[in-house]
Amino acid sequence: MPIQERVKLRELSAEDRICNYNEISLGLSEKELEYEANRCLQCKKPSCIKGCPAGLDIPRFIKLAREKKFNEALSEILEINPFSATCARVCPYGFQCEGSCVLNKTGRPIAIGAIHRFISDYGEYQMKMVTDKDKIKGKVAIIGGGIAGLSAAYELSRYGVEVDIYESRPVIGGLARACIPPYRLAREVLDREIVYILSHGAKIKNNITVGKDITLTEFFNIYDYVILAVGASKCWSLRLPSNEEDDFFAYSAIEFIENYMFRKKIFDRTLKILIIGGGNTAIDVGRISIREDLFPTIVYRRGKEQMPALPKEIEEAEEEGVNFKFFEVPKRAILENGKFKGIEALQARLGAPDSSGRPSFEIIEGSEHFIEGDVLVSAIGQEVDSEVLMGCDIHLERGLLPHDFGGEYEDKILSCGDAVSGPSVVVKAMKNGLEVARDVIGRLDKRNP
């Protein structure tokens, strides 16, 4: 029996999307959903489940979608993933469930992400509180209102635990709100899921920066446990020597994106933006710049094939007009009376693989040349902002938090999400938040037999 073609996913064209932040993916129609769901082979040993970090029963929700039982399908997803619609939009399916689909070897994997999105958009979000006999007594503070923190809050509050979420920003959502552009994740979608999560009982305390306004130790007399879910929201600093007396510090990519998402600081239009880095954050800076009438150039020390950014993100950035310069290494900033004018860069080439198997890069001596720019943005990596630890004898390990804390904090503080793993995909932060919450539930249950 011939394998049917995969449904063609509808998207905004590059010319229609570069002047706004509307979602690029248009989702499936009901007819397209029916066609794609019927392509699923309903494998007896589904490899797609193994490819899903959350462990969703993908054949099951596709079967329910086929039967138009969207409420039931979403209800089962929410048992495992409270950020169903968010993950349906931002997960890299090609490297996860769709990449593991048995039909992927034919080049026609089931459009699992699109089916998941349809269910999330048309199904009903139902409350998931446990029965009274299963509820646990306790009070927990969660520091950080991003995906991991909200997921932990969801699981704890489902079990009747009192939860307060402390968020430094005026609005909840963490880096998902501050740094995932709306063309990938519409804010009304994120808002809908946050409202659903909070409906289980967790309370929000906005505009409170732990470490500055209150220290961690002050929580210990109020809460049974503290969960640090602060994310990796601080960009690694890029400091370059310059042709003048002082060194030059690049602008933070996270700060750049957040300023545009919240409209806090906007650069003059038509400025040339030089972006150092090759990950998804660098791509986001470039694509936001295009939408703000800026002229972005991503400067990366290896080639296009070695970029850690998702291939689809790179492709869409190129379609939208983001410029790329590969095999370029910044040497120094070029200033004119203290004002940034560009960088002196060296050309590079691929070298021998490093310990991870990734090709290293080698600088080509004597290849200095000038790259013009008005603003220099660093997107070379992220870490935890150590301010949260002020007043505590806790130290970051390679810029990140440990999962468990020994000594006097051992049974008081836990951590989860990107703050532990480093920047990762949303679904992994969500899953880790649930796991830590279940750890706390188990500890509280032992305290209150």
Side-chain angles (χ1 to χ4, degrees), residues 55 92 101 107 110 169 188 190 195 203 264 266 307 372 404:
C101 174
I110 302 302
R169 297 180 179 89
E188 58 267 24
L190 181 63
V195 168
K203 294 180 174 60
K264 292 193 294 186
I266 309 300
M307 290 185 77
E372 184 181 6
D404 287 303

Side-chain angles (χ1 to χ4, degrees), residues 95 124 234 267 289 326 395 432:
F95 293 95
E124 179 184 346
K234 182 179 178 181
F267 289 106
S289 297
F326 297 113
H395 304 283
N432 193 218

Side-chain angles (χ1 to χ4, degrees), residues 41-157:
L41 301 178
Q42 292 292 308
C43 303
K44 291 183 179 179
K45 295 182 179 180
S47 54
C48 56
I49 296 177
K50 295 179 181 178
C52 174
L56 291 178
D57 189 341
I58 293 165
R60 168 71 177 166
F61 76 61
I62 290 179
K63 181 177 182 294
L64 291 171
R66 184 186 293 175
E67 297 167 357
K68 299 186 179 181
K69 296 178 180 178
F70 305 125
N71 289 347
E72 186 177 346
L74 181 57
S75 179
E76 293 189 11
I77 291 171
L78 292 173
E79 293 283 354
I80 297 173
N81 184 355
F83 279 104
S84 180
T86 297
C87 288
R89 284 163 166 81
V90 302
C91 267
Y93 285 95
F95 293 95
Q96 296 177 169
C97 53
E98 291 182 13
S100 300
C101 174
V102 295
L103 294 179
N104 187 47
K105 57 189 173 186
T106 71
R108 288 166 282 187
I110 302 302
I112 297 168
I115 296 172
H116 185 185
R117 171 176 169 165
F118 190 101
I119 292 168
S120 302
D121 289 350
Y122 291 96
E124 179 184 346
Y125 279 71
Q126 301 167 7
M127 296 286 285
K128 291 292 178 182
M129 298 298 292
V130 301
T131 61
D132 287 345
K133 69 179 182 65
D134 291 326
K135 287 185 177 179
I136 303 292
K137 289 183 179 180
K139 193 170 183 181
V140 175
I142 297 176
I143 316 304
I147 298 295
L150 284 165
S151 299
Y154 169 77
E155 191 70 2
L156 288 164
S157 53

Side-chain angles (χ1 to χ4, degrees), residues 43 112 114 117 144 194 273 388 394:
C43 303
I112 297 168
R117 171 176 169 165
I194 291 174
I273 312 297
V388 70
I394 299 174

Side-chain angles (χ1 to χ4, degrees), residues 135-138 224 441-449:
K135 287 185 177 179
I136 303 292
K137 289 183 179 180
D224 296 302
I441 289 167
R443 298 183 191 206
L444 288 171
D445 194 31
K446 289 179 181 177
R447 285 188 181 186
N448 304 290

Side-chain angles (χ1 to χ4, degrees), residues 40 76 156 242 295 318 406 421 427:
C40 178
E76 293 189 11
L156 288 164
S242 77
F295 293 94
E318 289 178 322
S421 67
V427 66

Side-chain angles (χ1 to χ4, degrees), residues 154-370:
Y154 169 77
E155 191 70 2
L156 288 164
S157 53
R158 284 200 322 121
Y159 278 82
V161 178
E162 291 183 64
V163 178
D164 290 331
I165 304 173
Y166 290 81
E167 170 58 48
S168 61
R169 297 180 179 89
V171 289
I172 204 78
L175 291 182
R177 182 183 299 282
C179 290
I180 298 181
Y183 55 77
R184 285 203 283 136
L185 175 61
R187 291 302 176 259
E188 58 267 24
V189 173
L190 181 63
D191 288 340
R192 181 174 78 232
E193 298 205 297
I194 291 174
V195 168
Y196 168 71
I197 287 168
L198 296 180
S199 70
H200 290 78
K203 294 180 174 60
I204 301 295
K205 296 181 181 292
N206 289 113
N207 296 308
I208 298 176
T209 301
V210 175
K212 177 183 176 184
D213 301 320
I214 185 172
T215 64
L216 278 176
T217 54
E218 294 178 66
F219 287 103
F220 297 154
N221 294 327
I222 308 171
Y223 299 96
D224 296 302
Y225 288 97
V226 177
I227 297 175
L228 293 176
V230 293
S233 59
K234 182 179 178 181
C235 269
W236 292 349
S237 176
L238 176 61
R239 177 179 182 174
L240 293 177
S242 77
N243 60 319
E244 296 186 353
E245 185 177 343
D246 297 326
D247 287 350
F248 186 81
F249 288 87
Y251 201 82
S252 157
I254 295 295
E255 188 176 354
F256 180 99
I257 297 171
E258 189 167 344
N259 281 338
Y260 275 98
M261 293 302 95
F262 295 129
R263 315 308 294 179
K264 292 193 294 186
K265 179 182 177 181
I266 309 300
F267 289 106
D268 292 336
R269 295 180 184 275
T270 74
L271 291 181
K272 298 180 180 69
I273 312 297
L274 296 184
I275 306 150
I276 311 300
N280 289 322
T281 301
I283 297 291
D284 286 339
V285 172
R287 298 181 71 182
I288 288 168
S289 297
I290 289 289
R291 286 160 174 78
E292 298 293 343
D293 290 334
L294 301 167
F295 293 94
T297 297
I298 292 176
V299 179
Y300 184 55
R301 61 189 179 180
R302 294 182 177 87
K304 180 178 176 179
E305 294 73 20
Q306 289 77 44
M307 290 185 77
L310 294 173
K312 183 171 175 55
E313 292 291 315
I314 299 170
E315 178 186 344
E316 290 181 350
E318 289 178 322
E319 291 173 353
E320 292 171 5
V322 176
N323 187 32
F324 288 82
K325 284 188 176 292
F326 297 113
F327 298 107
E328 302 276 7
V329 179
K331 180 179 180 181
R332 62 174 181 161
I334 303 301
L335 311 179
E336 188 176 288
N337 297 322
K339 185 176 181 181
F340 181 74
K341 289 296 182 179
I343 59 171
E344 183 178 69
L346 289 159
Q347 291 180 339
R349 60 187 168 219
L350 293 181
D354 59 22
S355 57
S356 68
R358 186 184 187 197
S360 61
F361 68 95
E362 299 173 350
I363 289 172
I364 300 174
E365 297 297 337
S367 62
E368 289 88 346
H369 58 285
F370 178 68

